[in-house]
């Protein structure tokens, strides 16, 4: 009995260590990508500075209030939480089609049929 409980506890610990490694790697990747995107946005004459000048000026104001590293950290934290929420919604079928999860072939057909309505119509005899 004790060995079974110990092995289950050990397995759960291993699973949580994999999750921890994934979360740390995803965080580093998000930090890098957001830092690169920030540099692109702040370049003089960038596409975003021409198309959304108000948003870029608000971003520059935010950089005056807090250090660049903290701003990048805050944005990465926000996006990581959004991705986790979208994944949760995909797993629990809150969305008609998967947003961040890979689609299975059966899901694609089911979602397409539902959106078209023909899968659930009864044929008149």
């Amino acid at each position: 009995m004790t060995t079974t409980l110990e092995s289950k506890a050990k397995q759960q610990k291993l699973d949580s260590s994999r999750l921890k490694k994934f979360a740390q790697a995803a965080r580093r990747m998000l930090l890098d990508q957001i830092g690169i995107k920030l540099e692109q946005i702040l370049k003089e004459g960038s596409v975003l500075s021409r198309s959304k000048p108000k948003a870029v000026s608000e971003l520059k104001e935010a950089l005056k209030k807090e250090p660049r590293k903290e701003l990048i950290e805050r944005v990465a934290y926000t996006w990581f939480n959004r991705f986790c929420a979208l994944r949760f919604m995909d797993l629990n079928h809150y969305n008609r089609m998967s947003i961040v999860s890979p689609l299975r072939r059966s899901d694609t057909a089911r979602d397409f049929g539902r959106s078209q309505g023909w899968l659930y119509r009864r044929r008149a005899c």
Side-chain angles (χ1 to χ4, degrees), residues 48-93:
L48 200 60
S49 66
R50 291 190 307 260
S51 63
K52 304 274 186 189
K54 184 179 178 186
V56 173
S57 66
E58 289 174 5
L59 179 60
K60 289 179 180 177
E61 288 298 317
L63 282 169
K64 290 178 184 176
K65 294 177 183 175
E66 66 182 312
R68 178 179 300 245
K69 188 175 180 179
E70 287 181 19
L71 178 69
I72 291 171
E73 182 79 33
R74 185 167 48 88
V75 172
Y77 180 81
T78 300
W79 275 104
F80 184 77
N81 286 336
R82 288 176 181 171
F83 288 134
C84 289
L86 288 169
R87 175 71 173 137
F88 176 83
M89 292 172 70
D90 285 352
L91 289 174
N92 291 299
H93 305 289

Side-chain angles (χ1 to χ4, degrees), residues 5 26 38 43 53 61-62 64 80 120:
L5 291 175
L38 180 63
K43 279 185 183 174
E61 288 298 317
K64 290 178 184 176
F80 184 77
Y120 296 102

